[in-house]
């Protein structure tokens, strides 16, 4: 009976943590959305709000890390339960880093506003990148919540779309700067934003990889697991 009670309490504690992780996910989704909004509008007041919101994300990261550590010590989970906790800790770190990237975008908007420069260099391509990354992040959180390993595997491959979009933006921005050196400052700011978006896609992919780790016990980082799986299904 005590063991059953302990197991039930563990599930309750873990579910409380997972709920807060998804809350954190919603916070960084909004932070990213607002950062791109102020990049397009150059609204410095909104940019300052996005930057300030990162403190709340970081505070939640610390609280959740502490909760996970206490859960391991108190409940001593084994096997799949321990994998779940470890994957949750890693997902928390990725979410905090997404918040960092959103903050970089807001700071770029603030810099452009202070210079009085309009970000004309390939803004539409960056917007398309941001939409792809936003969708990837939203889906990654959904699949993590449901532990949907099949959809998570497909998502890992989808990240390559954002990588290709970033490489295209980078080539075009570099050409733009070479043709007109007066655009270098604005072009570099646009490039930093594009890189931040690409990194957000990478962190979303990481979260999808943790789903595979929890469900199948496989660490698929730096492997071709997703491609292999999709080829075998086709």
């Amino acid at each position: 009976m005590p063991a059953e009670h302990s197991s039930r309490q563990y599930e309750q504690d873990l579910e409380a943590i997972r709920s807060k992780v998804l809350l954190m996910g919603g916070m960084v989704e909004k932070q990213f959305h607002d950062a791109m909004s102020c990049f397009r509008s150059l609204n410095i007041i909104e940019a300052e709000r996005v930057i300030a919101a990162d403190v709340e994300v970081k505070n939640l990261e610390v609280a959740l890390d502490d909760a996970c550590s206490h859960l391991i010590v108190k409940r001593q989970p084994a096997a799949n339960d321990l994998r779940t906790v470890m994957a949750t800790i890693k997902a928390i770190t990725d979410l905090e880093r997404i918040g960092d990237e959103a903050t970089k975008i807001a700071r770029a908007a603030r810099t452009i506003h202070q210079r009085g420069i309009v970000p004309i260099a390939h803004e539409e391509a960056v917007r398309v990148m941001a939409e792809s990354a936003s969708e990837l992040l939203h889906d990654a959180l959904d699949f993590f919540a449901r532990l949907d390993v099949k959809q998570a595997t497909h998502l890992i491959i989808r990240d390559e779309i954002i990588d290709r979009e970033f490489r295209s933006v980078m080539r075009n921005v570099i050409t733009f700067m070479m043709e007109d050196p007066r655009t270098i400052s604005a072009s570099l700011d646009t490039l930093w934003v594009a890189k931040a978006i690409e990194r957000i896609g990478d962190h979303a992919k990481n979260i999808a990889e943790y789903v595979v780790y929890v469900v199948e016990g496989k660490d698929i980082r730096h492997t071709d697991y997703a491609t292999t799986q999709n080829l075998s299904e086709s």
Side-chain angles (χ1 to χ4, degrees):
M1 191 63 133
E4 181 183 345
H5 174 77
S6 176
S7 175
R8 187 166 63 248
Q9 187 60 54
Y10 164 80
E11 293 294 339
Q12 291 173 354
D13 291 347
L14 181 60
E15 186 55 37
I17 290 171
R18 285 172 60 83
S19 294
K20 288 183 179 178
V21 170
L22 295 178
L23 171 65
M24 185 180 181
M27 289 168 61
V28 298
E29 277 192 279
K30 184 177 187 306
Q31 195 179 3
F32 178 31
H33 176 272
D34 291 347
M36 288 307 304
S37 176
C38 66
F39 175 69
R40 290 190 295 269
S41 66
L42 297 185
N43 186 327
I44 193 168
I45 296 175
E46 185 61 30
E48 295 293 353
R49 286 199 191 103
V50 173
I51 294 167
D54 197 46
V55 174
E56 189 176 353
V57 172
K58 291 185 184 304
N59 288 341
L60 188 52
E61 179 203 18
V62 172
L64 283 169
D65 278 347
D66 187 61
C68 288
S69 297
H70 277 81
L71 182 63
I72 292 172
V73 171
K74 286 169 61 179
R75 307 301 171 195
Q76 298 181 357
N80 185 61
D81 288 338
L82 182 58
R83 290 203 306 270
T84 301
V85 178
M86 297 305 297
T88 301
I89 291 172
K90 290 176 180 293
I92 291 165
T93 299
D94 277 289
L95 289 174
E96 188 274 332
R97 289 176 180 167
I98 290 171
D100 286 345
E101 299 300 335
T103 300
K104 290 178 186 177
I105 295 170
R107 285 182 177 144
R110 183 176 63 184
T111 299
I112 294 167
H113 173 87
Q114 289 168 345
R115 289 198 194 117
I117 302 171
V118 178
I120 56 173
H122 309 286
E123 184 182 357
E124 177 62 19
V126 173
R127 184 190 64 78
V128 171
M129 265 190 75
E131 288 182 354
S132 298
S134 180
E135 183 179 346
L136 208 69
L137 173 58
H138 182 80
D139 288 349
L141 290 167
D142 180 31
F143 304 152
F144 185 79
R146 296 189 286 111
L147 293 180
D148 188 332
V149 69
K150 182 176 180 179
Q151 292 300 324
T153 303
H154 291 316
L155 185 146
I156 293 166
I157 293 178
R158 284 165 53 196
D159 178 57
E160 177 58 30
I161 296 172
I162 299 174
D163 293 342
R164 287 199 301 268
E165 290 172 343
F166 170 69
R167 290 192 291 269
S168 176
V169 168
M170 183 172 62
R171 286 192 300 268
N172 291 334
V173 169
I174 290 173
T175 301
F176 194 68
M177 288 188 291
M178 291 173 65
E179 291 175 349
D180 186 354
R182 294 172 300 175
T183 67
I184 287 176
S185 294
S187 296
L188 284 175
D189 285 320
T190 302
L191 193 56
W192 304 150
V193 169
K195 182 59 180 177
I197 295 169
E198 188 263 344
R199 290 296 298 141
I200 287 172
D202 288 343
H203 290 303
K205 181 186 73 170
N206 290 347
I207 293 171
E209 289 176 342
Y210 304 147
V211 176
V212 179
Y213 176 64
V214 171
V215 176
E216 300 186 358
K218 297 176 182 176
D219 185 347
I220 63 169
R221 292 175 297 174
H222 318 302
T223 71
D224 292 327
Y225 173 86
T227 303
T228 304
Q229 287 295 109
N230 278 274
L231 285 174
S232 65
E233 292 174 7
S234 53

